[in-house]
């Protein structure tokens, strides 16, 4: 009985091998018709370019303002991908955005994937760094700090 099973299994494997070999040859399988797409059915619309403003571990001492250069006259669809600040009292650092309508918005450090209002346009984006040892009686003393940021936006005219 084992010989019959072995013979049957061998015959099935041989049949599968022949079938697979025939499919791989030209004319072994039926040709398939390519889908027909009528002209004008597909519209390709290019997306506006997204630009990045970034700085990685930018060092400063005391207080600094780093103005970001924008492509075009203004920026739209602004996303704060990541903003980090290090140093003494670094929580007082911020990203400052001046909007075309005159409003000002500040974003604190630690912000990630923050999507700002897409219909608003920014005319100026600045990264503000703050690192001071603050004293009540004596003058505050500047300390070293670092800033890291990534801002994505679409240029607007």
């Amino acid at each position: 009985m084992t010989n019959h099973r072995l013979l049957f299994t061998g015959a099935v494997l041989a049949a599968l091998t022949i079938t697979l070999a025939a499919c791989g040859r030209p004319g072994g399988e039926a040709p398939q018709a390519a889908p027909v797409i009528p002209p004008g059915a597909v519209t390709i619309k290019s997306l506006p370019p997204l630009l990045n403003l970034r700085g990685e571990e930018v060092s400063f001492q005391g207080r600094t303002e780093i103005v970001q250069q924008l492509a075009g006259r203004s920026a739209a669809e602004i996303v704060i991908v990541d903003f980090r600040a290090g140093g003494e009292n670094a929580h007082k650092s911020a990203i400052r955005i001046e909007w075309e309508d005159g409003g000002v918005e500040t974003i604190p450090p630690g912000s990630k994937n923050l999507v700002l209002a897409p219909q608003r346009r920014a005319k100026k984006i600045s990264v503000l760094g703050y690192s001071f040892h603050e004293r009540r009686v004596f003058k505050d003393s500047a300390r070293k700090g670092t800033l890291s940021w990534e801002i994505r936006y679409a240029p607007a005219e």
Side-chain angles (χ1 to χ4, degrees):
M1 188 137 170
T2 305
N3 290 336
H4 295 301
R5 286 185 186 167
L6 187 60
L7 184 60
F8 177 74
T9 305
V12 170
L13 286 175
L16 285 173
T17 304
I18 292 170
T19 305
L20 289 175
C23 287
R25 284 191 226 143
E29 48 183 60
Q32 296 191 5
V36 177
I37 300 173
V42 177
T43 304
I44 298 174
K45 182 180 175 186
S46 63
L47 296 173
L50 292 177
L51 303 176
N52 282 338
L53 303 170
R54 71 180 318 171
E56 191 66 36
E57 298 296 322
V58 176
S59 61
F60 69 96
Q61 187 164 349
R63 183 177 306 181
T64 188
E65 179 178 3
I66 304 168
V67 178
Q68 304 298 298
Q69 294 296 319
L70 300 176
R73 288 188 2 208
S74 60
E77 300 176 31
I78 300 171
V79 177
I80 308 297
V81 178
D82 186 27
F83 177 47
R84 292 174 281 133
E88 197 165 338
N89 289 308
H91 65 278
K92 294 184 178 182
S93 298
I95 292 177
R96 184 174 62 208
I97 299 174
E98 295 179 22
W99 301 105
E100 285 184 337
D101 62 5
V104 176
E105 186 169 347
T106 57
I107 291 106
S111 300
K112 287 188 176 200
N113 298 323
L114 178 64
V115 179
L116 301 177
Q119 68 275 12
R120 295 181 79 186
R121 293 182 177 192
K123 65 179 181 179
K124 183 178 176 184
I125 299 175
S126 302
V127 180
L128 307 174
Y130 186 90
S131 182
F132 277 95
H133 178 71
E134 297 175 341
R135 304 183 214 176
R136 289 180 185 238
V137 177
F138 302 106
K139 184 179 174 184
D140 295 343
S141 60
R143 299 285 192 236
K144 291 184 179 182
T146 59
L147 294 169
S148 296
W149 68 92
E150 183 175 356
I151 303 168
R152 187 178 316 134
Y153 73 99
E157 293 301 321

